[in-house]
């Protein structure tokens, strides 16, 4: 059995990881922490090395989660993907036949959610498994 959790560079990712670890312990399941790098098409006259940007983002995400990962008693797998986060996260959870998908209410913020869509909203509607939505502190 597997619990899948979506993490990014936002402050809520720590809470998502902690909730996912607790659920994986309770369920005696493996935990897959999934980071999806996404860069919408941006017009720029300056060449951008998106591979370097994605690598820096991955290092930041995994670095901020170091205090809680690895978790005692839980096998944790780190997964890095690139693409549209809501769809790739749900596709990954469905492909793993996860028993639970854990996401946060806010990742990149309100404006990005308005433009790109809410990961938690899409997950609730498209995931085949149960979905746990972790609220940011200011929403609690």
């Amino acid at each position: 059995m597997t619990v899948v959790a979506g993490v990014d560079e936002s402050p809520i990712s720590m809470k998502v990881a902690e909730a996912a670890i607790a659920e994986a312990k309770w369920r005696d399941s493996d935990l897959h922490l999934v980071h999806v790098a996404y860069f919408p098409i941006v017009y720029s006259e300056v060449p951008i090395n998106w591979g370097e940007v994605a690598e820096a983002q991955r290092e930041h995400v995994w670095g901020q989660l170091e205090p809680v990962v690895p978790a005692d008693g839980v096998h944790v797998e780190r997964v890095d993907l690139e693409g549209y986060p809501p769809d790739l996260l749900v596709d990954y959870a469905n492909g793993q036949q996860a028993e639970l998908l854990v996401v946060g209410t806010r990742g990149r913020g309100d404006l990005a959610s308005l433009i790109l869509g809410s990961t938690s909203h899409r997950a609730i509607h498209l995931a085949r498994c149960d979905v746990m939505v972790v609220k940011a502190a200011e929403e609690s």
Side-chain angles (χ1 to χ4, degrees), residues 38 40 84 105-119 138:
Y38 177 66
Y84 184 59
T105 53
R106 293 189 183 160
R108 299 181 186 271
D110 292 333
L111 179 60
S113 291
L114 180 64
I115 295 168
L116 302 174
S118 166
T119 298
E138 65 271 10

Side-chain angles (χ1 to χ4, degrees), residues 4-8 10-20 34 85-86 89 101-110 113 117-124 131-139:
V4 173
V7 294
D8 61 17
S10 68
I12 196 172
S13 282
M14 184 70 79
K15 284 184 70 174
V16 168
E18 289 170 343
V34 181
L89 189 57
L101 173 58
V102 183
V103 296
T105 53
R106 293 189 183 160
R108 299 181 186 271
D110 292 333
S113 291
S118 166
T119 298
S120 58
H121 186 262
R122 287 188 64 82
I124 290 167
V131 177
M132 172 189 281
V133 180
V134 178
K135 287 185 164 193
E138 65 271 10
E139 296 176 301

